[in-house]
Amino acid sequence: MPDEDPGDIFLRHRGAVLEALLSDPSFGAPAESETGTANSAEPDFPEEFEVPPQPGADGPKASERILALLNAGAGEGSAPEEFGPDFAGFDPARLRGDPDAAAGEGPRPRPVVPGSADRMRSVLAMVRKPKVALAIGAVLAVIVVLVLVSGGGSPPSNSVVIATAAPTSAAANPPTTTAPAASTALQVKSAQAHCPAGSTAGMDAFAGQGKAWLCVRAFKIDGQVLTIDLGHTYRIDSIGIVPGFDDLGSDGVDQWTKYRTASRVSYQFDDANASRYVQQTLDQRTLVVTKLSPPVSASRIVLTVLQSKGDPAINTVAVSSIAITGQ
């Protein structure tokens, strides 16, 4: 501050000003009995500073004037009237060191800085808005995609890759189905049986009407065997048998009751699995067929009569027809 500034006087001699104010009798001057002499001497002030006349006992107290002097800056550029014209130009703001007030400007308002809690509440309020939430979700999705893309050009070894083929038109490319070849009756190369005397050849079971394979039971025990040779390996899908002598003799006598019927038979094939099927004929006077599923690839079949039925006095088993189908 320059020396010619009037406010510099108060800054340099503010102790004397306060002493003058405190010496007011109403504030409590020192008693004559205590000091021995009246404190009537005036303080030695510099020539450039003149102390204003002191108010009487009926004026404001010194403490009130000090407070008024210090708070005078709250007014709009006017000093209190009780200090007289000499203090009219005095600005108490200079004592407080306010540079803005000393320059003739009003005190600058301090900016209000919101606290961290207020900022957090504002951010949460913004995030709760649907548009802001959608925007944040989109940004996060883009970040995830970028991270996955930048992680490497090839997928990890344990990733699952789903490949989709383009649909094809069923009308343009109709499915081609191959119908299975129809089964036919297989021709037998040979059929042999080892039966006691009075029996017929095994090929008579394939001779047709009027003939039958007749096998006498040895010791009246079932178990007659007929070995059938096809000559080639075929896919056999069925085998049938007429379990008796289904014919009329030349004398007109029914041959069915003259011989025993094969009630239960077995078929043993020479395929890789040595397949074996057992058939209950129920002594029916018809062709009893055994279906093979899946078909059996074989070239030889061994037929065994496991059980036969008939009059106990009759000891010969008859099989009038055997039919084998396949391809």
Side-chain angles (χ1 to χ4, degrees):
M1 179 180 296
D3 296 335
E4 61 271 17
D5 190 346
D8 186 52
I9 299 173
F10 284 92
L11 291 177
R12 291 194 309 236
H13 302 285
R14 56 181 176 272
V17 173
L18 293 176
E19 184 179 356
L21 292 174
L22 294 175
S23 63
D24 184 72
S26 61
F27 186 75
E32 185 176 1
S33 59
E34 296 178 358
T35 58
T37 58
N39 189 10
S40 59
E42 295 182 358
D44 187 13
F45 291 103
E47 295 179 358
E48 63 270 18
F49 181 77
E50 182 178 0
V51 179
Q54 299 179 358
D58 55 350
K61 294 182 179 181
S63 61
E64 296 177 356
R65 283 180 293 179
I66 292 174
L67 294 176
L69 178 62
L70 295 177
N71 296 327
E76 294 294 333
S78 61
E81 295 181 357
E82 62 270 22
F83 288 95
D86 293 335
F87 289 92
F90 176 71
D91 189 358
R94 298 179 181 273
L95 296 177
R96 296 194 300 267
D98 191 345
D100 295 333
E105 300 177 357
R108 296 180 182 178
R110 296 183 178 179
V112 179
V113 180
S116 59
D118 296 336
R119 288 195 296 270
M120 183 61 67
R121 284 193 293 270
S122 301
V123 171
L124 293 177
M126 291 293 293
V127 171
R128 290 193 184 99
K129 295 183 178 180
K131 293 183 177 180
V132 176
L134 290 176
I136 294 175
V139 171
L140 292 177
V142 172
I143 293 174
V144 170
V145 171
L146 291 177
V147 170
L148 293 177
V149 170
S150 61
S154 60
S157 59
N158 59 350
S159 62
V160 178
V161 179
I162 301 175
T164 58
T168 57
S169 175
N173 299 316
T176 57
T177 57
T178 303
S183 297
T184 58
L186 301 180
Q187 297 298 321
V188 177
K189 180 180 178 180
S190 65
Q192 295 181 356
H194 300 280
C195 299
S199 302
T200 62
M203 287 297 293
D204 288 349
F206 301 94
Q209 190 69 28
K211 290 186 178 280
W213 170 52
L214 303 177
C215 185
V216 178
R217 299 189 305 169
F219 306 104
K220 296 184 179 182
I221 298 174
D222 293 324
Q224 293 71 36
V225 176
L226 177 65
T227 302
I228 304 169
D229 186 6
L230 300 176
H232 298 284
T233 300
Y234 295 95
R235 295 182 73 252
I236 304 171
D237 53 28
S238 72
I239 183 170
I241 183 176
V242 177
F245 198 165
D246 185 18
D247 192 26
L248 295 176
S250 56
D251 55 0
V253 178
D254 188 4
Q255 302 295 313
W256 187 267
T257 59
K258 290 177 63 174
Y259 299 95
R260 299 179 67 86
T261 59
S263 302
R264 186 164 60 95
V265 298
S266 69
Y267 304 105
Q268 182 77 47
F269 299 90
D270 65 343
D271 62 330
N273 298 326
S275 302
R276 183 173 182 268
Y277 288 83
V278 177
Q279 175 71 60
Q280 296 280 354
T281 66
L282 303 179
D283 305 304
Q284 301 177 76
R285 194 169 182 173
T286 184
L287 183 67
V288 180
V289 179
T290 301
K291 293 290 185 181
L292 308 181
S293 180
V296 177
S297 297
S299 62
R300 188 174 62 178
I301 306 171
V302 177
L303 183 153
T304 303
V305 178
L306 301 178
Q307 183 181 2
S308 64
K309 286 185 179 180
D311 192 315
I314 302 173
N315 196 37
T316 303
V317 179
V319 175
S320 61
S321 178
I322 298 175
I324 304 171
T325 62
Q327 49 184 305

